Structures are given as C-alpha cells and as structure tokens.
Amino acid sequence: TNTAGPVTSCTFVNGSTPATTVGTTFTPADFAVQAVDSFGNAVNGAPVAYMVPATGNPSVTGLTGGNTSGVSPNAGRFTPSGPVTANTIAGSYLVTATAAGVTCGTRSVTNNAGVFSQIIIGTPGAPITAANGFTDSAVIGQFFTKPIPFFVADQYGNPVLLATTVTFSAPADNVTNPTAAGTGGLTA
C-alpha cells in the first residue's frame, strides 16, 4: 500500500466568497480545504486549523470555536462538521486555513447586516445616549440649528441601507417643522 507524503500544499475547495446575515449560519462546505503531498496525493488525517479575526471584529464561530482545528477525513478534505455561524457584527474579514502547518490561503468572508428593526439617534459607532447627549436650543418660533443625526439599523445596531424616507415628528405644542439628517443615503 502506498501512503501519501507530508502535506506540501492545500487550498480552499470552494472558490466562492461566503456571505451570510449576521447571527445566521454559513454553509460549512464554503470552508472546506484539500490537503495534498508533493505528488498531488490526498493527505488523510492532516490537522487543519482556521484563524479568524480577534473578538470585536467581524467573525465567525463554529469552525470548532473560533480558532479551530480538526483532522481531515478521507480524500484529504476537511469540512467543518458543525454549524459555522456569523457573529453579530456586520463587515468583511479574512479567514486563514492551514493543514499540517502549511497555509491553504485566506478566504474573504462577509457578515451582512440584518433587516431594519430600529432607528438609532447618533451615528454608527457613536449613538447618542443620556451620558453624551445631543443638545440644541432655539428661540420660540425659530428653527433648531443642528440636524438630528440618525441611522437605521438591524437588531444588533449594524447600519442598514434603505431606499426610503424616515420622517420625524414632534408634538405641535413644542416644536414646529422638525428636521433630521440621516446616514447611509437617508433623508428625512
């Protein structure tokens, strides 16, 4: 019986760029790698590891826990066996895979924002809170001088681009002609 030599090359099997909505699962096959020796023979049992961005960046879990390792099954292929889940931060990032210490390459991965579920006063990354406040004042009968910054977001606070108008209104006895300025191409 001939056995394969050590891993000299490995690649991602699927050429696609994985993308999913934040908090949902990717297709595990999108992260499959193939490990081969110098003659192109599949190397079975090669330890495979994935490296993902540090906490706080767009990331995934389920490549057996973030930084993951596993053993490639027959045919020198390794596919994560459990769900591979996007975290709740929208954005693109790189996942790097190695087999027996040989770099398979990097894969661009995208966590897309979810559906619109809230309007946040402030700007992405800097929402207005009671602690940092947004203040403006006006003489009775005059316009306020500052537009109200806001953005529409998914349930996790990721900006969602919408081709729609958001309208703010205020009680008639307190303010007349309220205006707002939005981000992501929104107007009010």
Side-chain angles (χ1 to χ4, degrees), residues 101-138:
V102 175
T103 300
C104 303
T106 56
R107 159 105 345 138
S108 179
V109 178
T110 301
N111 295 353
N112 294 315
V115 298
F116 162 72
S117 69
Q118 60 184 323
I119 296 174
I120 298 177
I121 305 299
T123 58
I128 295 174
T129 65
N132 66 9
F134 174 81
T135 59
D136 196 4
S137 61

PDB file of all heavy atoms in Angstrom, residues 101-138:
ATOM      1  N   GLY A 101       0.371  22.771   9.251  1.00  0.00           N
ATOM      2  CA  GLY A 101       1.271  23.917   9.264  1.00  0.00           C
ATOM      3  C   GLY A 101       1.472  24.592   7.922  1.00  0.00           C
ATOM      4  O   GLY A 101       2.133  25.620   7.837  1.00  0.00           O
ATOM      5  N   VAL A 102       0.919  24.035   6.844  1.00  0.00           N
ATOM      6  CA  VAL A 102       1.032  24.628   5.506  1.00  0.00           C
ATOM      7  C   VAL A 102      -0.181  25.521   5.277  1.00  0.00           C
ATOM      8  O   VAL A 102      -1.320  25.091   5.445  1.00  0.00           O
ATOM      9  CB  VAL A 102       1.102  23.531   4.415  1.00  0.00           C
ATOM     10  CG1 VAL A 102       1.095  24.153   3.023  1.00  0.00           C
ATOM     11  CG2 VAL A 102       2.329  22.655   4.621  1.00  0.00           C
ATOM     12  N   THR A 103       0.054  26.773   4.901  1.00  0.00           N
ATOM     13  CA  THR A 103      -1.052  27.708   4.697  1.00  0.00           C
ATOM     14  C   THR A 103      -1.826  27.346   3.438  1.00  0.00           C
ATOM     15  O   THR A 103      -1.260  27.215   2.359  1.00  0.00           O
ATOM     16  CB  THR A 103      -0.533  29.154   4.597  1.00  0.00           C
ATOM     17  OG1 THR A 103       0.140  29.474   5.807  1.00  0.00           O
ATOM     18  CG2 THR A 103      -1.675  30.138   4.378  1.00  0.00           C
ATOM     19  N   CYS A 104      -3.145  27.209   3.619  1.00  0.00           N
ATOM     20  CA  CYS A 104      -4.042  26.899   2.495  1.00  0.00           C
ATOM     21  C   CYS A 104      -4.445  28.166   1.774  1.00  0.00           C
ATOM     22  O   CYS A 104      -4.923  28.115   0.648  1.00  0.00           O
ATOM     23  CB  CYS A 104      -5.313  26.213   3.005  1.00  0.00           C
ATOM     24  SG  CYS A 104      -4.996  24.707   3.931  1.00  0.00           S
ATOM     25  N   GLY A 105      -4.310  29.271   2.417  1.00  0.00           N
ATOM     26  CA  GLY A 105      -4.717  30.548   1.854  1.00  0.00           C
ATOM     27  C   GLY A 105      -5.691  31.245   2.768  1.00  0.00           C
ATOM     28  O   GLY A 105      -5.973  30.798   3.878  1.00  0.00           O
ATOM     29  N   THR A 106      -6.177  32.365   2.287  1.00  0.00           N
ATOM     30  CA  THR A 106      -7.173  33.120   3.035  1.00  0.00           C
ATOM     31  C   THR A 106      -8.450  33.190   2.222  1.00  0.00           C
ATOM     32  O   THR A 106      -8.425  33.114   0.994  1.00  0.00           O
ATOM     33  CB  THR A 106      -6.686  34.548   3.358  1.00  0.00           C
ATOM     34  OG1 THR A 106      -6.338  35.194   2.139  1.00  0.00           O
ATOM     35  CG2 THR A 106      -5.498  34.536   4.295  1.00  0.00           C
ATOM     36  N   ARG A 107      -9.526  33.315   2.916  1.00  0.00           N
ATOM     37  CA  ARG A 107     -10.840  33.388   2.293  1.00  0.00           C
ATOM     38  C   ARG A 107     -11.515  34.643   2.812  1.00  0.00           C
ATOM     39  O   ARG A 107     -11.600  34.871   4.023  1.00  0.00           O
ATOM     40  CB  ARG A 107     -11.619  32.136   2.696  1.00  0.00           C
ATOM     41  CG  ARG A 107     -13.072  32.218   2.579  1.00  0.00           C
ATOM     42  CD  ARG A 107     -13.770  31.527   1.459  1.00  0.00           C
ATOM     43  NE  ARG A 107     -13.036  31.066   0.343  1.00  0.00           N
ATOM     44  CZ  ARG A 107     -13.224  29.904  -0.235  1.00  0.00           C
ATOM     45  NH1 ARG A 107     -14.097  29.068   0.251  1.00  0.00           N
ATOM     46  NH2 ARG A 107     -12.566  29.570  -1.312  1.00  0.00           N
ATOM     47  N   SER A 108     -11.959  35.494   1.889  1.00  0.00           N
ATOM     48  CA  SER A 108     -12.733  36.670   2.270  1.00  0.00           C
ATOM     49  C   SER A 108     -14.133  36.211   2.650  1.00  0.00           C
ATOM     50  O   SER A 108     -14.748  35.422   1.934  1.00  0.00           O
ATOM     51  CB  SER A 108     -12.792  37.655   1.104  1.00  0.00           C
ATOM     52  OG  SER A 108     -13.567  38.775   1.470  1.00  0.00           O
ATOM     53  N   VAL A 109     -14.612  36.672   3.774  1.00  0.00           N
ATOM     54  CA  VAL A 109     -15.911  36.271   4.312  1.00  0.00           C
ATOM     55  C   VAL A 109     -16.677  37.539   4.691  1.00  0.00           C
ATOM     56  O   VAL A 109     -16.081  38.502   5.174  1.00  0.00           O
ATOM     57  CB  VAL A 109     -15.725  35.369   5.551  1.00  0.00           C
ATOM     58  CG1 VAL A 109     -17.041  34.969   6.154  1.00  0.00           C
ATOM     59  CG2 VAL A 109     -14.905  34.140   5.193  1.00  0.00           C
ATOM     60  N   THR A 110     -17.992  37.538   4.468  1.00  0.00           N
ATOM     61  CA  THR A 110     -18.790  38.726   4.770  1.00  0.00           C
ATOM     62  C   THR A 110     -19.967  38.383   5.675  1.00  0.00           C
ATOM     63  O   THR A 110     -20.700  37.431   5.419  1.00  0.00           O
ATOM     64  CB  THR A 110     -19.321  39.370   3.471  1.00  0.00           C
ATOM     65  OG1 THR A 110     -18.210  39.716   2.652  1.00  0.00           O
ATOM     66  CG2 THR A 110     -20.140  40.615   3.763  1.00  0.00           C
ATOM     67  N   ASN A 111     -20.112  39.177   6.724  1.00  0.00           N
ATOM     68  CA  ASN A 111     -21.305  39.152   7.573  1.00  0.00           C
ATOM     69  C   ASN A 111     -22.145  40.350   7.142  1.00  0.00           C
ATOM     70  O   ASN A 111     -21.742  41.492   7.337  1.00  0.00           O
ATOM     71  CB  ASN A 111     -20.947  39.320   9.056  1.00  0.00           C
ATOM     72  CG  ASN A 111     -20.134  38.176   9.619  1.00  0.00           C
ATOM     73  OD1 ASN A 111     -19.917  37.171   8.969  1.00  0.00           O
ATOM     74  ND2 ASN A 111     -19.670  38.347  10.843  1.00  0.00           N
ATOM     75  N   ASN A 112     -23.294  40.101   6.522  1.00  0.00           N
ATOM     76  CA  ASN A 112     -24.175  41.178   6.068  1.00  0.00           C
ATOM     77  C   ASN A 112     -25.085  41.639   7.200  1.00  0.00           C
ATOM     78  O   ASN A 112     -25.513  40.828   8.025  1.00  0.00           O
ATOM     79  CB  ASN A 112     -25.043  40.694   4.898  1.00  0.00           C
ATOM     80  CG  ASN A 112     -24.212  40.390   3.677  1.00  0.00           C
ATOM     81  OD1 ASN A 112     -23.330  41.158   3.303  1.00  0.00           O
ATOM     82  ND2 ASN A 112     -24.471  39.258   3.048  1.00  0.00           N
ATOM     83  N   ALA A 113     -25.406  42.930   7.204  1.00  0.00           N
ATOM     84  CA  ALA A 113     -26.351  43.459   8.192  1.00  0.00           C
ATOM     85  C   ALA A 113     -27.700  42.770   8.017  1.00  0.00           C
ATOM     86  O   ALA A 113     -28.043  42.318   6.925  1.00  0.00           O
ATOM     87  CB  ALA A 113     -26.505  44.965   8.022  1.00  0.00           C
ATOM     88  N   GLY A 114     -28.452  42.706   9.100  1.00  0.00           N
ATOM     89  CA  GLY A 114     -29.787  42.118   9.059  1.00  0.00           C
ATOM     90  C   GLY A 114     -30.808  43.099   8.521  1.00  0.00           C
ATOM     91  O   GLY A 114     -30.457  44.108   7.902  1.00  0.00           O
ATOM     92  N   VAL A 115     -32.057  42.824   8.773  1.00  0.00           N
ATOM     93  CA  VAL A 115     -33.136  43.686   8.297  1.00  0.00           C
ATOM     94  C   VAL A 115     -33.346  44.852   9.252  1.00  0.00           C
ATOM     95  O   VAL A 115     -33.030  44.780  10.438  1.00  0.00           O
ATOM     96  CB  VAL A 115     -34.460  42.903   8.115  1.00  0.00           C
ATOM     97  CG1 VAL A 115     -34.292  41.817   7.071  1.00  0.00           C
ATOM     98  CG2 VAL A 115     -34.934  42.325   9.431  1.00  0.00           C
ATOM     99  N   PHE A 116     -33.907  45.937   8.731  1.00  0.00           N
ATOM    100  CA  PHE A 116     -34.198  47.123   9.527  1.00  0.00           C
ATOM    101  C   PHE A 116     -35.088  46.764  10.712  1.00  0.00           C
ATOM    102  O   PHE A 116     -36.096  46.098  10.558  1.00  0.00           O
ATOM    103  CB  PHE A 116     -34.895  48.161   8.641  1.00  0.00           C
ATOM    104  CG  PHE A 116     -35.612  49.228   9.412  1.00  0.00           C
ATOM    105  CD1 PHE A 116     -34.897  50.195  10.093  1.00  0.00           C
ATOM    106  CD2 PHE A 116     -36.984  49.249   9.482  1.00  0.00           C
ATOM    107  CE1 PHE A 116     -35.552  51.187  10.815  1.00  0.00           C
ATOM    108  CE2 PHE A 116     -37.650  50.226  10.202  1.00  0.00           C
ATOM    109  CZ  PHE A 116     -36.927  51.199  10.867  1.00  0.00           C
ATOM    110  N   SER A 117     -34.680  47.183  11.897  1.00  0.00           N
ATOM    111  CA  SER A 117     -35.524  46.954  13.066  1.00  0.00           C
ATOM    112  C   SER A 117     -35.541  48.128  14.041  1.00  0.00           C
ATOM    113  O   SER A 117     -36.316  48.112  14.987  1.00  0.00           O
ATOM    114  CB  SER A 117     -35.090  45.683  13.806  1.00  0.00           C
ATOM    115  OG  SER A 117     -33.828  45.864  14.412  1.00  0.00           O
ATOM    116  N   GLN A 118     -34.675  49.133  13.828  1.00  0.00           N
ATOM    117  CA  GLN A 118     -34.650  50.249  14.766  1.00  0.00           C
ATOM    118  C   GLN A 118     -34.030  51.484  14.122  1.00  0.00           C
ATOM    119  O   GLN A 118     -33.279  51.385  13.170  1.00  0.00           O
ATOM    120  CB  GLN A 118     -33.868  49.868  16.029  1.00  0.00           C
ATOM    121  CG  GLN A 118     -32.425  49.477  15.771  1.00  0.00           C
ATOM    122  CD  GLN A 118     -31.701  49.021  17.025  1.00  0.00           C
ATOM    123  OE1 GLN A 118     -31.933  49.559  18.105  1.00  0.00           O
ATOM    124  NE2 GLN A 118     -30.825  48.056  16.893  1.00  0.00           N
ATOM    125  N   ILE A 119     -34.374  52.636  14.673  1.00  0.00           N
ATOM    126  CA  ILE A 119     -33.731  53.897  14.302  1.00  0.00           C
ATOM    127  C   ILE A 119     -32.899  54.305  15.502  1.00  0.00           C
ATOM    128  O   ILE A 119     -33.394  54.348  16.631  1.00  0.00           O
ATOM    129  CB  ILE A 119     -34.770  54.993  13.982  1.00  0.00           C
ATOM    130  CG1 ILE A 119     -35.578  54.588  12.753  1.00  0.00           C
ATOM    131  CG2 ILE A 119     -34.093  56.336  13.772  1.00  0.00           C
ATOM    132  CD1 ILE A 119     -36.725  55.526  12.435  1.00  0.00           C
ATOM    133  N   ILE A 120     -31.629  54.588  15.263  1.00  0.00           N
ATOM    134  CA  ILE A 120     -30.727  54.973  16.348  1.00  0.00           C
ATOM    135  C   ILE A 120     -30.339  56.428  16.141  1.00  0.00           C
ATOM    136  O   ILE A 120     -29.874  56.816  15.065  1.00  0.00           O
ATOM    137  CB  ILE A 120     -29.481  54.073  16.384  1.00  0.00           C
ATOM    138  CG1 ILE A 120     -29.905  52.613  16.646  1.00  0.00           C
ATOM    139  CG2 ILE A 120     -28.488  54.564  17.433  1.00  0.00           C
ATOM    140  CD1 ILE A 120     -28.766  51.616  16.625  1.00  0.00           C
ATOM    141  N   ILE A 121     -30.543  57.240  17.175  1.00  0.00           N
ATOM    142  CA  ILE A 121     -30.146  58.643  17.137  1.00  0.00           C
ATOM    143  C   ILE A 121     -28.644  58.697  17.387  1.00  0.00           C
ATOM    144  O   ILE A 121     -28.143  58.156  18.364  1.00  0.00           O
ATOM    145  CB  ILE A 121     -30.911  59.480  18.192  1.00  0.00           C
ATOM    146  CG1 ILE A 121     -32.423  59.326  18.027  1.00  0.00           C
ATOM    147  CG2 ILE A 121     -30.495  60.945  18.134  1.00  0.00           C
ATOM    148  CD1 ILE A 121     -32.954  59.778  16.689  1.00  0.00           C
ATOM    149  N   GLY A 122     -27.921  59.331  16.489  1.00  0.00           N
ATOM    150  CA  GLY A 122     -26.467  59.398  16.554  1.00  0.00           C
ATOM    151  C   GLY A 122     -25.902  58.926  15.231  1.00  0.00           C
ATOM    152  O   GLY A 122     -26.583  58.943  14.211  1.00  0.00           O
ATOM    153  N   THR A 123     -24.651  58.481  15.254  1.00  0.00           N
ATOM    154  CA  THR A 123     -24.005  57.964  14.054  1.00  0.00           C
ATOM    155  C   THR A 123     -23.509  56.556  14.348  1.00  0.00           C
ATOM    156  O   THR A 123     -23.315  56.198  15.518  1.00  0.00           O
ATOM    157  CB  THR A 123     -22.825  58.864  13.639  1.00  0.00           C
ATOM    158  OG1 THR A 123     -21.895  58.933  14.729  1.00  0.00           O
ATOM    159  CG2 THR A 123     -23.283  60.259  13.266  1.00  0.00           C
ATOM    160  N   PRO A 124     -23.287  55.733  13.305  1.00  0.00           N
ATOM    161  CA  PRO A 124     -22.769  54.386  13.565  1.00  0.00           C
ATOM    162  C   PRO A 124     -21.495  54.445  14.400  1.00  0.00           C
ATOM    163  O   PRO A 124     -20.583  55.209  14.105  1.00  0.00           O
ATOM    164  CB  PRO A 124     -22.495  53.834  12.162  1.00  0.00           C
ATOM    165  CG  PRO A 124     -23.461  54.577  11.291  1.00  0.00           C
ATOM    166  CD  PRO A 124     -23.519  55.967  11.882  1.00  0.00           C
ATOM    167  N   GLY A 125     -21.455  53.683  15.449  1.00  0.00           N
ATOM    168  CA  GLY A 125     -20.303  53.677  16.344  1.00  0.00           C
ATOM    169  C   GLY A 125     -20.355  54.748  17.416  1.00  0.00           C
ATOM    170  O   GLY A 125     -19.558  54.745  18.344  1.00  0.00           O
ATOM    171  N   ALA A 126     -21.272  55.703  17.304  1.00  0.00           N
ATOM    172  CA  ALA A 126     -21.368  56.778  18.299  1.00  0.00           C
ATOM    173  C   ALA A 126     -22.824  57.182  18.510  1.00  0.00           C
ATOM    174  O   ALA A 126     -23.224  58.310  18.230  1.00  0.00           O
ATOM    175  CB  ALA A 126     -20.534  57.976  17.860  1.00  0.00           C
ATOM    176  N   PRO A 127     -23.651  56.245  18.992  1.00  0.00           N
ATOM    177  CA  PRO A 127     -25.042  56.615  19.246  1.00  0.00           C
ATOM    178  C   PRO A 127     -25.122  57.645  20.371  1.00  0.00           C
ATOM    179  O   PRO A 127     -24.254  57.707  21.232  1.00  0.00           O
ATOM    180  CB  PRO A 127     -25.699  55.301  19.661  1.00  0.00           C
ATOM    181  CG  PRO A 127     -24.571  54.447  20.136  1.00  0.00           C
ATOM    182  CD  PRO A 127     -23.352  54.884  19.366  1.00  0.00           C
ATOM    183  N   ILE A 128     -26.151  58.449  20.308  1.00  0.00           N
ATOM    184  CA  ILE A 128     -26.344  59.457  21.354  1.00  0.00           C
ATOM    185  C   ILE A 128     -27.050  58.800  22.524  1.00  0.00           C
ATOM    186  O   ILE A 128     -28.055  58.119  22.365  1.00  0.00           O
ATOM    187  CB  ILE A 128     -27.154  60.645  20.817  1.00  0.00           C
ATOM    188  CG1 ILE A 128     -26.332  61.357  19.735  1.00  0.00           C
ATOM    189  CG2 ILE A 128     -27.544  61.598  21.944  1.00  0.00           C
ATOM    190  CD1 ILE A 128     -27.075  62.455  19.018  1.00  0.00           C
ATOM    191  N   THR A 129     -26.488  59.003  23.710  1.00  0.00           N
ATOM    192  CA  THR A 129     -27.071  58.462  24.936  1.00  0.00           C
ATOM    193  C   THR A 129     -27.292  59.608  25.910  1.00  0.00           C
ATOM    194  O   THR A 129     -26.859  60.738  25.681  1.00  0.00           O
ATOM    195  CB  THR A 129     -26.125  57.434  25.578  1.00  0.00           C
ATOM    196  OG1 THR A 129     -24.920  58.115  25.987  1.00  0.00           O
ATOM    197  CG2 THR A 129     -25.765  56.310  24.613  1.00  0.00           C
ATOM    198  N   ALA A 130     -27.926  59.295  27.019  1.00  0.00           N
ATOM    199  CA  ALA A 130     -28.135  60.316  28.046  1.00  0.00           C
ATOM    200  C   ALA A 130     -26.793  60.846  28.550  1.00  0.00           C
ATOM    201  O   ALA A 130     -26.664  62.015  28.901  1.00  0.00           O
ATOM    202  CB  ALA A 130     -28.948  59.750  29.195  1.00  0.00           C
ATOM    203  N   ALA A 131     -25.759  60.008  28.566  1.00  0.00           N
ATOM    204  CA  ALA A 131     -24.452  60.410  29.068  1.00  0.00           C
ATOM    205  C   ALA A 131     -23.737  61.371  28.118  1.00  0.00           C
ATOM    206  O   ALA A 131     -23.107  62.324  28.554  1.00  0.00           O
ATOM    207  CB  ALA A 131     -23.581  59.180  29.312  1.00  0.00           C
ATOM    208  N   ASN A 132     -23.806  61.132  26.800  1.00  0.00           N
ATOM    209  CA  ASN A 132     -23.066  62.010  25.893  1.00  0.00           C
ATOM    210  C   ASN A 132     -23.964  63.043  25.216  1.00  0.00           C
ATOM    211  O   ASN A 132     -23.475  63.957  24.593  1.00  0.00           O
ATOM    212  CB  ASN A 132     -22.275  61.209  24.850  1.00  0.00           C
ATOM    213  CG  ASN A 132     -23.139  60.436  23.881  1.00  0.00           C
ATOM    214  OD1 ASN A 132     -24.352  60.590  23.849  1.00  0.00           O
ATOM    215  ND2 ASN A 132     -22.515  59.578  23.088  1.00  0.00           N
ATOM    216  N   GLY A 133     -25.252  62.859  25.316  1.00  0.00           N
ATOM    217  CA  GLY A 133     -26.265  63.823  24.917  1.00  0.00           C
ATOM    218  C   GLY A 133     -26.147  64.491  23.567  1.00  0.00           C
ATOM    219  O   GLY A 133     -25.116  64.522  22.947  1.00  0.00           O
ATOM    220  N   PHE A 134     -27.235  64.999  23.114  1.00  0.00           N
ATOM    221  CA  PHE A 134     -27.332  65.813  21.907  1.00  0.00           C
ATOM    222  C   PHE A 134     -28.163  67.007  22.324  1.00  0.00           C
ATOM    223  O   PHE A 134     -29.322  66.860  22.686  1.00  0.00           O
ATOM    224  CB  PHE A 134     -28.015  65.046  20.771  1.00  0.00           C
ATOM    225  CG  PHE A 134     -28.257  65.892  19.551  1.00  0.00           C
ATOM    226  CD1 PHE A 134     -27.238  66.115  18.646  1.00  0.00           C
ATOM    227  CD2 PHE A 134     -29.497  66.467  19.314  1.00  0.00           C
ATOM    228  CE1 PHE A 134     -27.457  66.894  17.518  1.00  0.00           C
ATOM    229  CE2 PHE A 134     -29.716  67.247  18.190  1.00  0.00           C
ATOM    230  CZ  PHE A 134     -28.688  67.458  17.290  1.00  0.00           C
ATOM    231  N   THR A 135     -27.567  68.161  22.317  1.00  0.00           N
ATOM    232  CA  THR A 135     -28.309  69.339  22.754  1.00  0.00           C
ATOM    233  C   THR A 135     -28.374  70.367  21.636  1.00  0.00           C
ATOM    234  O   THR A 135     -27.474  70.475  20.813  1.00  0.00           O
ATOM    235  CB  THR A 135     -27.658  69.983  23.995  1.00  0.00           C
ATOM    236  OG1 THR A 135     -26.318  70.359  23.667  1.00  0.00           O
ATOM    237  CG2 THR A 135     -27.626  69.023  25.170  1.00  0.00           C
ATOM    238  N   ASP A 136     -29.449  71.085  21.640  1.00  0.00           N
ATOM    239  CA  ASP A 136     -29.640  72.198  20.723  1.00  0.00           C
ATOM    240  C   ASP A 136     -30.736  73.051  21.354  1.00  0.00           C
ATOM    241  O   ASP A 136     -31.553  72.566  22.136  1.00  0.00           O
ATOM    242  CB  ASP A 136     -30.063  71.701  19.338  1.00  0.00           C
ATOM    243  CG  ASP A 136     -29.899  72.791  18.271  1.00  0.00           C
ATOM    244  OD1 ASP A 136     -29.395  73.881  18.589  1.00  0.00           O
ATOM    245  OD2 ASP A 136     -30.284  72.525  17.120  1.00  0.00           O
ATOM    246  N   SER A 137     -30.742  74.292  21.041  1.00  0.00           N
ATOM    247  CA  SER A 137     -31.797  75.152  21.564  1.00  0.00           C
ATOM    248  C   SER A 137     -32.193  76.144  20.475  1.00  0.00           C
ATOM    249  O   SER A 137     -31.444  76.376  19.534  1.00  0.00           O
ATOM    250  CB  SER A 137     -31.321  75.900  22.822  1.00  0.00           C
ATOM    251  OG  SER A 137     -30.206  76.719  22.503  1.00  0.00           O
ATOM    252  N   ALA A 138     -33.373  76.675  20.617  1.00  0.00           N
ATOM    253  CA  ALA A 138     -33.871  77.645  19.641  1.00  0.00           C
ATOM    254  C   ALA A 138     -34.807  78.616  20.338  1.00  0.00           C
ATOM    255  O   ALA A 138     -35.442  78.288  21.339  1.00  0.00           O
ATOM    256  CB  ALA A 138     -34.610  76.924  18.511  1.00  0.00           C
TER     257      ALA A 138
END
